[in-house]
Amino acid sequence: MKVSVRLLKSLPKAERFVPKSGIYPKGFVVGGIHTGVKKDTHALDLAMIHNVSGNDGIASAVFTTNRFKAAPVQVSSKIIKQKNGHVNSLVINSGNANAVTGTQGLQDAHNMIKVTDAVLENEEDSSLVMSTGVIGQKLPIDNILQGIPKLALSNLGSSHEHWLACAQAICTTDTFPKLVSKQFDLNGTTYTLAGLAKGAGMICPNMATLLGFFATDAPVTSNALNQILKYAVDRSFNSISVDGDMSTNDTIVAIANGAAGGKVIDASAESAEEFSVLRTEITGFAQQLAQLVVRDGEGATKFITIKVTDATSYREAKEISSSIANSSLFKTAMYGNDANWGRILCAIGYAKVNANAVNPSRTSVSLVPADGNEPLPLLVNGEPEDVDEERALQILQNEEIGIHVSLGTGGGQEATYWTCDLTHDYVTINADYRS
């Protein structure tokens, strides 16, 4: 089993993680085309998601906390508040972030929305706009504005190929498009979720240089969707790290159209069961999509799951797991197949948590192999183990690695974080990003 895990490295990521087919929510059409934002004429750089169900779309979004918010973030966050989530379309360009571009950038973002709404016959300000790519350069806005009608009128559809093109059109340094879909049953009705994301570098909450979009044909109110999305993002896209950097453009949007029918899910006590099911489904779905971002981390060779248990609270557990995940020393040790658990302990020790959140004399750390075999203890109740270095090396040479930390507080709370190693290739990719 250990050999088969290692052999995964020999397969291209696109072959391993990009679906060959999928089933998608009712009432949405999507697509992607090349408009000239990217230099490569074969690279798609404009994407669109549009609700055609006849029902009013309900959207929720979580945006970057970076102080230098890109123009699309500023514009879209205002629209979604003003419209109370009533949004029917999303338009996204890649290759240029439209960030730190002054008043011209804001005007360009507004114009992208204006043209999208006009060609799709939406009400005014019924679209959200997102951009991703290089910061500080003005958009080739004429190319984009000319491309929007072409995309909207001739290149939208509901097939797997259309969804894949949409996912490809939002990529920048990604090595593969990130697209997932699933179905679930609720009160006798089958609902469908589809999601796409981009991101490979500048990945660290809150959030990273990533864009993520969920679409569902489940009926849900704006208030309920807001609560569900925030919960899901906290446990998925805000629980991943590639390099500890946070971008200016990060946006996660969920849009629902109720096309599959059924009882409308709200946040009331009467809908508590349905609300819980939808939240669980969207959270697990978001985690699957977020993990693809980590798997595609720039230059990464390892996918690392960090689980912190027996914490005093979820927040404390998450903060400690984040501290480990963002430690450059830990990440380079993982790249070097070095079971240097002292770096894990250091990261736990300087995590920004309450003094009683960590009990050094009760803390335990283990390596968790990807083959399902027994974990390898490194530290047990504050006492170092006589580590089998050969077995540690075998575990660390696999592409998938688990780190389990038990804080021994008796609190019983836990959190999981996903990260990758830090490699020479990461430096190479980001040293010449603009060229």
Side-chain angles (χ1 to χ4, degrees):
M1 182 65 179
K2 293 175 183 176
V3 174
S4 66
V5 173
R6 284 199 286 268
L7 283 177
L8 284 175
K9 294 181 181 179
S10 65
L11 297 175
K13 289 182 179 179
E15 185 175 336
R16 290 153 53 193
F17 300 124
V18 179
K20 300 296 190 296
S21 62
I23 186 163
Y24 299 101
K26 299 175 182 178
F28 289 99
V29 290
V30 305
I33 61 170
H34 172 76
T35 65
V37 182
K38 294 177 180 175
K39 297 176 183 178
D40 183 351
T41 57
H42 298 289
L44 306 184
D45 54 25
L46 185 67
M48 189 174 289
I49 299 172
H50 179 47
N51 168 34
V52 292
S53 68
N55 301 330
D56 204 11
I58 296 296
S60 176
V62 178
F63 298 100
T64 182
T65 60
N66 193 300
R67 290 184 179 87
F68 288 94
K69 291 176 175 59
V73 171
Q74 296 180 55
V75 172
S76 293
S77 60
K78 289 180 180 178
I79 286 177
I80 206 164
K81 289 178 182 177
Q82 291 170 355
K83 302 284 287 190
N84 194 28
H86 290 271
V87 168
N88 280 310
S89 309
L90 314 176
V91 60
I92 312 107
N93 77 270
S94 60
N96 185 307
N98 192 14
V100 199
T101 46
T103 55
Q104 182 62 54
L106 291 170
Q107 186 61 51
D108 290 344
H110 279 293
N111 284 338
M112 288 177 65
I113 290 173
K114 183 177 180 180
V115 172
T116 299
D117 284 337
V119 73
L120 293 175
E121 299 182 352
N122 290 335
E123 292 183 4
E124 184 179 355
D125 287 341
S126 292
S127 298
L128 302 181
V129 60
M130 299 92 198
S131 300
T132 184
V134 177
I135 294 170
Q137 297 183 3
K138 293 181 180 179
L139 285 176
I141 190 62
D142 290 341
N143 292 21
I144 294 174
L145 297 183
Q146 291 169 17
I148 288 173
K150 179 182 176 182
L151 174 56
L153 299 176
S154 304
N155 291 274
L156 296 183
S158 57
S159 70
H160 174 69
E161 288 70 27
H162 285 98
W163 280 91
L164 187 57
C166 190
Q168 290 169 330
I170 66 174
C171 292
T172 51
T173 61
D174 306 61
T175 65
F176 65 91
K178 298 157 186 69
L179 173 65
V180 293
S181 62
K182 68 174 293 187
Q183 289 188 317
F184 64 97
D185 293 327
L186 181 58
N187 293 335
T189 302
T190 298
Y191 297 112
T192 306
L193 276 166
L196 49 148
K198 65 80 50 181
M202 292 185 78
I203 302 296
C204 179
N206 294 306
M207 288 168 285
T209 180
L210 65 84
L211 300 178
F213 310 102
F214 312 150
T216 183
D217 49 20
V220 59
T221 65
S222 177
N223 181 37
L225 190 59
N226 285 338
Q227 292 185 41
I228 288 170
L229 185 64
K230 289 177 182 178
Y231 181 93
V233 167
D234 191 43
R235 289 157 177 78
S236 58
F237 290 98
N238 280 345
S239 291
I240 61 174
S241 175
V242 169
D243 50 18
D245 263 308
M246 184 201 307
S247 181
T248 54
N249 291 61
D250 318 321
T251 304
I252 305 294
V253 177
I255 183 168
N257 63 13
K263 174 186 174 184
V264 176
I265 301 167
D266 59 30
S268 67
E270 290 78 10
S271 286
E273 183 177 348
E274 292 83 1
F275 178 91
S276 178
V277 170
L278 184 61
R279 188 178 71 174
T280 297
E281 293 291 344
I282 289 180
T283 300
F285 186 77
Q287 289 174 344
Q288 182 183 358
L289 199 53
Q291 288 171 31
L292 289 178
V293 174
V294 177
R295 292 184 184 279
D296 199 23
E298 290 174 345
T301 66
K302 306 285 177 64
F303 176 80
I304 306 164
T305 300
I306 301 169
K307 187 172 185 178
V308 174
T309 63
D310 207 14
T312 55
S313 69
Y314 166 74
R315 293 296 170 191
E316 303 279 6
K318 184 179 178 183
E319 184 62 39
I320 289 169
S321 59
S322 172
S323 184
I324 300 168
N326 286 297
S327 165
S328 295
L329 288 177
F330 164 72
K331 290 157 73 71
T332 51
M334 294 298 96
Y335 174 56
N337 302 322
D338 181 8
N340 188 348
W341 53 267
R343 295 182 176 182
I344 299 173
L345 264 290
C346 283
I348 296 171
Y350 61 64
K352 297 177 181 178
V353 294
N354 294 326
N356 63 352
V358 178
N359 184 346
S361 66
R362 298 291 295 169
T363 298
S364 299
V365 178
S366 299
L367 284 178
V368 182
D371 56 16
N373 286 331
E374 286 295 315
L376 177 63
L378 305 175
L379 183 77
V380 177
N381 290 328
E383 295 290 335
E385 293 291 288
D386 186 9
V387 177
D388 182 342
E389 295 289 347
E390 183 177 348
R391 182 163 182 243
L393 180 60
Q394 289 178 336
I395 294 172
L396 292 172
Q397 284 177 331
N398 285 308
E399 180 179 358
E400 303 216 8
I401 301 167
I403 304 293
H404 179 205
V405 176
S406 174
L407 297 175
T409 67
Q413 300 298 306
E414 63 182 52
T416 303
Y417 221 91
W418 297 276
T419 191
C420 59
D421 55 348
L422 192 58
T423 71
H424 300 290
D425 284 346
Y426 176 84
V427 177
T428 301
I429 290 168
N430 283 282
D432 61 2
Y433 177 66
R434 292 203 305 165
S435 58

